[in-house]
């Protein structure tokens, strides 16, 4: 009984968070690669792989927007520790069976296909292209997931898009959150969308990559003992020029892998230390949902006014009194 009391005190005190912030490496690193002159040269790829091994990274997401960058992808996958789960995120899904064979043979674990819809006229063509690409990947023996960025085009036709996605055979379906107040997207719109996604029986694992969604789904998107917003705590992002950010959206520079090793940036960056030490302001601290979302998405806050202690600008509880 005494040991249970000690464990409960340990968990409630927050000591476990401090320990894991200081000792545990990020679970996920993403890196954006292209074939432009500003891209990360191959000489740094080995250094990144060595750092990720020291940091105990177990998921790497490689984002590719330029088909000419595939040789760099093959080199990267070859050098990665075999224990790291390797995900390739692509927006241009016009690839061939030969390319998929090479990716599978190189050791790729999962292909993440991004369904980016920019207008209502795009929807049918994009969905058909997506279906064809999923079939190629699945037939080629590659685990496949779909990532849907939520924008005004998607939200307008969300019902029909969900119905079509339900019948596509993939391992997982993820929805990335909207930007702040863009295209007339309000906190009420976000609430309606997340409620619909959560209620829709997709027949496959579904993740809404937004801390606010925990108010509806009860999901915790960070690893054990970490807040729902993983930026700088269980996630890092490396841009094409080598700049390191806390996540793909939070544009606070924390260093550059061309100047310092990635594991040193993770351990000593002042930018990361500030983000990890952030505490929520009075409004969020008094909210009944604070234990789930922990203040929402820091990237949206930073983009709006660079103050990451304020409530999330898309939080319906704060802004609409829902």
């Amino acid at each position: 009984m005494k040991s249970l009391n000690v464990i409960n005190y340990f968990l409630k005190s927050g000591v476990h968070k401090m320990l894991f912030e200081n000792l545990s490496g990020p679970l996920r690193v993403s890196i954006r690669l292209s074939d432009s002159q500003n891209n990360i040269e191959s000489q740094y790829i080995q250094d990144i792989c060595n750092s990720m091994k020291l940091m105990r990274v177990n998921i790497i997401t490689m984002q590719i927007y330029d088909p000419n960058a595939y040789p760099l992808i093959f080199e990267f996958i070859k050098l990665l520790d075999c224990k790291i789960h390797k995900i390739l995120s692509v927006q241009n899904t016009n690839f061939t069976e030969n390319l998929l064979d090479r990716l599978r043979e190189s050791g790729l674990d999962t292909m993440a296909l991004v369904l980016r819809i920019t207008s209502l006229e795009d929807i049918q063509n994009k969905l058909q292209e997506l279906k064809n690409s999923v079939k190629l990947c699945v037939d080629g023996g590659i685990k496949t997931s779909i990532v849907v960025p939520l924008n005004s085009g998607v939200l307008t036709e969300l019902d029909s898009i969900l119905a079509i996605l339900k019948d596509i055979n993939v391992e997982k379906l993820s929805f990335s959150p909207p930007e702040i107040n863009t295209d007339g997207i309000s906190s009420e719109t976000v609430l309606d969308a997340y409620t619909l996604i959560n209620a829709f029986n997709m027949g496959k694992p579904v993740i809404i990559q937004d801390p606010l969604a925990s108010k509806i789904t009860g999901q915790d998107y960070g690893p054990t003992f970490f807040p729902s917003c993983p930026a700088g705590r269980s996630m890092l992002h490396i841009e094409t020029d080598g700049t390191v950010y806390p996540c793909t959206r939070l544009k606070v520079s924390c260093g550059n892998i061309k100047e310092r090793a990635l594991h040193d940036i993770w351990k000593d960056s002042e930018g990361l230390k500030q983000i990890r030490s952030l505490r929520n302001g009075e409004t969020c601290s008094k909210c009944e949902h604070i234990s789930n979302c922990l203040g929402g998405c820091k990237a949206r806050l930073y983009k709006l006014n660079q103050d990451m202690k304020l409530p999330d600008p898309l939080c319906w509880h704060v802004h609409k009194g829902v």
Side-chain angles (χ1 to χ4, degrees):
M1 182 65 69
K2 185 178 289 186
S3 13
L4 283 175
N5 289 336
V6 171
I7 291 171
N8 287 333
Y9 172 77
F10 180 72
L11 294 175
K12 290 179 180 178
S13 66
V15 174
H16 61 285
K17 292 185 179 180
M18 291 186 286
L19 289 175
F20 274 78
E21 282 177 12
N22 292 330
L23 299 179
S24 177
L27 293 181
R28 181 185 295 267
V29 168
S30 65
I31 181 169
R32 186 169 295 166
L33 297 167
S34 72
D35 194 39
S36 67
Q37 291 182 346
N38 292 327
N39 190 39
I40 299 168
E41 295 88 348
S42 58
Q43 70 188 81
Y44 298 106
I45 297 297
Q46 180 68 69
D47 294 337
I48 294 172
C49 294
N50 292 340
S51 283
M52 288 197 296
K53 190 172 183 179
L54 290 172
M55 295 158 63
R56 300 193 295 275
V57 173
N58 67 0
I59 301 175
I60 173 73
T61 300
M62 297 158 285
Q63 302 175 351
I64 184 169
Y65 296 90
D66 180 358
N68 295 322
Y70 275 107
L72 199 58
I73 291 288
F74 293 130
E75 180 182 356
F76 201 3
I77 295 176
K78 182 179 178 181
L79 291 172
L80 283 168
D81 189 317
C82 62
K83 295 178 182 178
I84 296 179
H85 188 89
K86 307 164 192 69
I87 302 172
L88 180 60
S89 175
V90 296
Q91 297 202 40
N92 181 359
T93 57
N94 187 23
F95 34 67
T96 63
E97 292 183 25
N98 180 56
L99 176 61
L100 291 174
D101 287 341
R102 288 190 62 192
L103 287 169
R104 186 187 65 253
E105 292 166 1
S106 68
L108 182 69
D109 294 298
T110 301
M111 180 76 85
L113 305 176
V114 181
L115 176 63
R116 189 173 296 279
I117 294 172
T118 55
S119 67
L120 294 178
E121 293 74 22
D122 268 351
I123 292 178
Q124 292 304 320
N125 289 336
K126 290 283 187 179
L127 285 170
Q128 187 56 54
E129 182 182 302
L130 181 70
K131 286 182 179 180
N132 297 338
S133 300
V134 168
K135 187 176 186 307
L136 273 176
C137 292
V138 173
D139 290 348
I142 298 178
K143 291 182 179 180
T144 310
S145 64
I146 295 174
V147 180
V148 185
L150 292 172
N151 55 31
S152 57
V154 171
L155 293 173
T156 302
E157 299 292 331
L158 188 57
D159 267 314
S160 57
I161 291 174
L162 288 175
I164 294 172
L165 292 176
K166 179 179 179 179
D167 295 328
I168 299 179
N169 180 29
V170 291
E171 297 277 326
K172 183 177 67 175
L173 182 60
S174 297
F175 294 88
S176 59
E179 299 287 348
I180 56 165
N181 302 326
T182 56
D183 300 325
I185 297 175
S186 66
S187 55
E188 288 178 320
T189 303
V190 174
L191 169 62
D192 291 342
Y194 290 175
T195 303
L196 177 61
I197 293 169
N198 187 55
F200 212 97
N201 182 16
M202 299 299 294
K204 59 179 71 68
V206 176
I207 294 177
I208 305 172
Q209 299 171 348
D210 190 335
L212 292 181
S214 62
K215 302 175 191 292
I216 296 173
T217 66
Q219 297 179 74
D220 180 6
Y221 299 101
T224 305
F225 297 147
F226 278 81
S228 292
C229 179
R233 298 172 184 267
S234 60
M235 177 182 287
L236 282 181
H237 175 68
I238 307 170
E239 204 34 85
T240 54
D241 62 356
T243 303
V244 177
Y245 296 105
C247 75
T248 55
R249 293 187 174 211
L250 183 49
K251 299 304 181 184
V252 176
S253 176
C254 300
N256 193 296
I257 56 97
K258 296 180 180 181
E259 299 167 1
R260 295 184 68 194
L262 184 63
H263 63 275
D264 286 334
I265 293 173
W266 169 251
K267 184 174 63 173
D268 297 326
S269 165
E270 288 302 319
L272 289 175
K273 287 179 181 179
Q274 290 176 14
I275 288 169
R276 291 166 187 161
S277 65
L278 275 175
R279 297 295 178 263
N280 292 296
E282 184 178 358
T283 303
C284 286
S285 298
K286 293 180 178 179
C287 178
E288 62 180 311
H289 298 283
I290 187 62
S291 60
N292 288 328
C293 83
L294 280 91
C297 176
K298 304 306 179 189
R300 283 195 291 253
L301 285 168
Y302 186 78
K303 187 173 182 180
L304 182 67
N305 54 26
Q306 299 192 353
D307 186 346
M308 290 181 275
K309 294 182 180 179
L310 295 175
D312 190 311
L314 287 183
C315 176
W316 50 87
H317 286 274
V318 172
H319 299 287
K320 297 296 179 182
V322 177

